[in-house]
Amino acid sequence: MKVTAIILAGGKNLRLGRPKATEIIGGKSIVERVIERLRPLASQMLIVTGAERADLPDTGDAEFLADLYPGYGPLGGIYTGLVASRTSHSIVVACDMPFLNTELLGYMVEQTGDFDAVVPRLDGGMTEPLHAVYSRSCLETIRRRLESKQLSVNSFIKALRVRYIGQAESQRFDPELLSFFNINYQADVERAIAIEAENDK
């Protein structure tokens, strides 16, 4: 099943202090790495940004979308992407995840069935709603939450029919769970560079 890939790139980058998507890891910007890993799965590539996208590279086949609910966080970005999606299901990821695992994401797509969402859940109970698959059936639920300013993504997924992917399931494809690694601080950039160097050996 071909899906749409929605990359959320509308964050304010407050913790890092500069755009995360354009950080260079292994000779490529993170957003380029994200697109590369999503391309085998996606028939449509969408990048949801704030009002401006001057800091993001032209990625060829990706379509840039201005957030329909600017300032409403990731939930607004998910809504914006799903509205524009031409497929029944969409992979949604953040733009700062340099080690996405294509096989894991493909497995998640296969689990969609009659669920509204497929979301990884780690052993401690933490979920990964910005590394998930969402159906267009979520649109009305999201719209209502945006209109009432209930912006928590974790709260939103609890209102859905969710197929949770357990940690052991994820580790079958991604033993170190690097797919969920994301960039917030300079130390994360340095760790990502070190991981990539180790993987290149």
Side-chain angles (χ1 to χ4, degrees), residues 2-201:
K2 280 290 186 181
V3 295
T4 297
I6 299 169
I7 302 167
L8 304 180
K12 295 186 173 65
N13 305 297
L14 295 178
R15 287 178 284 193
L16 187 63
R18 59 185 187 274
K20 297 190 278 189
T22 52
E23 286 295 306
I24 302 298
I25 309 290
K28 293 177 187 165
S29 69
I30 297 177
V31 73
E32 288 173 306
R33 293 172 65 93
V34 168
I35 288 169
E36 194 174 82
R37 284 157 175 73
L38 292 170
R39 193 170 276 129
L41 304 169
S43 58
Q44 181 185 18
M45 193 82 63
L46 303 174
I47 301 178
V48 182
T49 70
E52 75 298 315
R53 48 150 288 210
D55 55 347
L56 287 172
D58 187 351
T59 53
D61 55 352
E63 178 186 347
F64 286 86
L65 299 174
D67 205 329
L68 295 172
Y69 283 84
Y72 277 55
L75 196 61
I78 295 170
Y79 181 80
T80 299
L82 288 178
V83 166
S85 170
R86 294 193 295 265
T87 60
S88 62
H89 291 79
S90 296
I91 297 169
V92 173
V93 296
C95 68
D96 62 348
M97 305 176 94
F99 303 114
L100 290 177
N101 185 294
T102 303
E103 288 72 29
L104 171 57
L105 288 164
Y107 173 74
M108 289 171 57
V109 169
E110 291 169 2
Q111 305 306 305
T112 49
D114 293 328
F115 296 100
D116 299 315
V118 179
V119 182
R121 181 163 59 188
L122 304 183
D123 285 351
M126 184 176 131
T127 58
E128 296 285 347
L130 301 187
H131 179 294
V133 181
Y134 293 98
S135 165
R136 282 178 57 86
S137 63
C138 297
L139 275 169
E140 183 57 27
T141 302
I142 303 177
R143 189 190 62 75
R144 286 199 305 266
R145 285 179 167 263
L146 291 169
E147 293 296 337
S148 60
K149 294 189 167 57
Q150 296 174 271
L151 304 183
S152 164
V153 180
N154 281 311
S155 171
F156 153 66
I157 62 172
K158 289 175 183 170
L160 305 176
R161 295 168 299 166
V162 180
R163 161 71 161 96
Y164 287 105
I165 302 293
Q167 180 168 316
E169 273 182 282
S170 292
Q171 286 178 309
R172 280 166 37 198
F173 304 93
D174 185 3
E176 296 179 56
L177 301 176
L178 288 178
S179 207
F180 309 137
F181 177 90
N182 70 308
I183 303 291
N184 286 312
Y185 301 101
Q186 181 60 33
D188 299 326
V189 175
E190 290 162 11
R191 184 177 167 220
I193 291 169
I195 290 168
E196 179 63 20
E198 188 64 31
N199 289 344
D200 273 351
K201 284 183 182 175

